[in-house]
Amino acid sequence: MNVCTAFRQLIEKPELVVAPGAFECITARFIEQAGYPAVYMSGAATAATLGYPDYGLTTLTEMADNAGRIAGAVDIPVIADADTGFGNRMNAARTVMEYERRGVAGLHIEDQKFPKRCGHLEGKEIVPLAEFVDKIRAACDARVNRDFTIIARTDARSVLGLNAAIDRANAALSAGADMAFVEAPQTLEEMAQIPSRVEGPCMLNLVWKGKTPDVPFAKAQEMGYRLLILPSLLFKSMMAACDKALHETVSLGRHAELETPITPQAGFDRLGGLQWDRISQAASPIQDDDHG
């Protein structure tokens, strides 16, 4: 079964799909090994790994290539941030083509003006509804595999209010989107309204210390959400762990003691997989049957 169909079947099940955010192959492998059913490629974290803030400074190629590397490192579906589709309706169509051919299971495209910014920051601007709908329609038409999931994200909540955001989500679903993503609801009441008023499956974004209340997963499922992403979970954990290790090491004048010691070999073993095994085997010396 291809990853597009696998993801489509996941979101059709009654259980909420929880997808932590990865920003490169190591974190993606950890997500898979922890038993999660899908990986989310965070656009903000991807930008940060390139040294940029989440202000729409990454290009289509940079984002698609990172999504492809992540998809190639795991056997579970990868859903990826595709920002605004990187331009107009033609750019959005090409974005879908580039992500799909790299093995990604789906993506989300938003209605912010380019350059965009993080959905939990102030000062966002959005494009007219007709332009957003046209872009979503073009994205849907461009996919080869009909199971490739197109998620329509709207940032209208902070600009025009919740009602307008829900109207935009429904318009995008009518244009062919498979799922709606109303970004940054600010209260529990708003969060509950979205799945009940949106005429299709909904995705929820829980950003650590962001605008949206941090609810238990069971509560999000009870509200009616089908997909929940945790884009900053591993990124913030990585930053905290790095800060601690570096400060303790300079303070001690030697390697800091890790709470979970991982030797180089254990680390390589954790990263193991089909591609890793094939490369390792190819690198091993050939044993001569007569002299081995």
Side-chain angles (χ1 to χ4, degrees):
M1 184 188 305
N2 64 66
V3 291
C4 297
T5 303
F7 182 72
R8 182 72 62 138
Q9 292 184 359
L10 271 177
I11 59 177
E12 290 175 350
K13 292 181 178 179
E15 297 82 16
L16 176 70
V17 177
V18 177
F23 45 93
E24 36 65 276
C25 298
I26 297 175
T27 46
R29 290 287 295 165
F30 280 8
I31 290 167
E32 181 178 42
Q33 291 170 8
Y36 289 89
V39 172
Y40 173 71
M41 187 198 82
S42 165
T46 297
T49 63
L50 296 173
Y52 301 119
D54 189 19
Y55 289 159
L57 298 172
T58 50
T59 65
L60 165 58
T61 304
E62 289 169 336
M63 292 282 278
D65 282 349
N66 195 38
R69 286 190 293 270
I70 291 171
V74 296
D75 294 324
I76 57 177
V78 174
I79 304 302
D81 187 351
D83 288 347
T84 64
F86 306 99
N88 61 21
R89 67 187 314 275
M90 292 186 295
N91 300 97
R94 186 193 168 197
T95 296
V96 169
M97 294 166 60
E98 296 294 342
Y99 277 56
E100 185 176 0
R101 72 184 220 189
R102 284 168 172 79
V104 178
L107 52 71
H108 62 76
I109 293 176
E110 66 205 55
D111 60 354
Q112 284 196 53
K113 287 185 177 180
F114 185 84
K116 57 79 53 95
R117 58 174 55 201
C118 172
H120 290 253
L121 295 178
E122 299 294 338
K124 296 187 293 294
E125 295 182 87
I126 57 176
V127 300
L129 174 59
E131 181 179 336
F132 176 48
V133 169
D134 194 40
K135 191 181 295 188
I136 293 298
R137 186 177 291 112
C140 293
D141 289 344
R143 57 188 167 186
V144 174
N145 187 331
R146 304 315 295 176
D147 282 340
F148 183 87
T149 298
I150 305 290
I151 302 170
R153 164 178 159 174
T154 175
D155 286 76
R157 161 62 188 88
S158 64
V159 181
L160 301 175
L162 183 64
N163 289 336
I166 290 173
D167 288 344
R168 283 184 170 232
N170 283 327
L173 289 168
S174 295
D178 304 295
M179 180 175 283
F181 172 15
V182 178
E183 175 65 302
Q186 298 184 17
T187 66
L188 289 173
E189 181 182 2
E190 288 187 356
M191 292 173 67
Q193 281 191 53
I194 291 167
S196 66
R197 296 175 57 192
V198 170
E199 298 164 1
C202 292
M203 169 177 145
L204 178 64
N205 179 20
L206 290 185
V207 174
W208 178 252
K209 302 297 185 183
K211 292 182 178 295
T212 300
D214 189 14
V215 299
F217 301 158
K219 183 66 174 177
Q221 178 168 316
E222 181 184 317
M223 289 177 176
Y225 287 96
R226 301 299 313 117
L227 173 65
L228 186 152
I229 59 169
L230 303 165
S232 60
L233 174 64
L234 295 184
F235 191 67
K236 71 178 180 64
S237 300
M238 176 272 294
M239 290 192 290
C242 288
D243 273 345
K244 181 178 180 183
L246 291 168
H247 284 96
E248 287 187 1
T249 295
V250 74
S251 176
L252 294 170
R254 56 177 298 170
H255 269 111
E257 291 295 328
L258 300 178
E259 294 180 7
T260 306
I262 299 178
T263 65
Q265 185 60 54
F268 290 140
D269 291 343
R270 282 288 303 275
L271 295 175
L274 180 59
Q275 295 182 58
W276 189 279
D277 292 342
R278 286 175 178 169
I279 294 171
S280 297
Q281 290 170 9
S284 299
I286 299 175
Q287 297 294 324
D288 189 308
D289 291 340
D290 295 330
H291 304 287

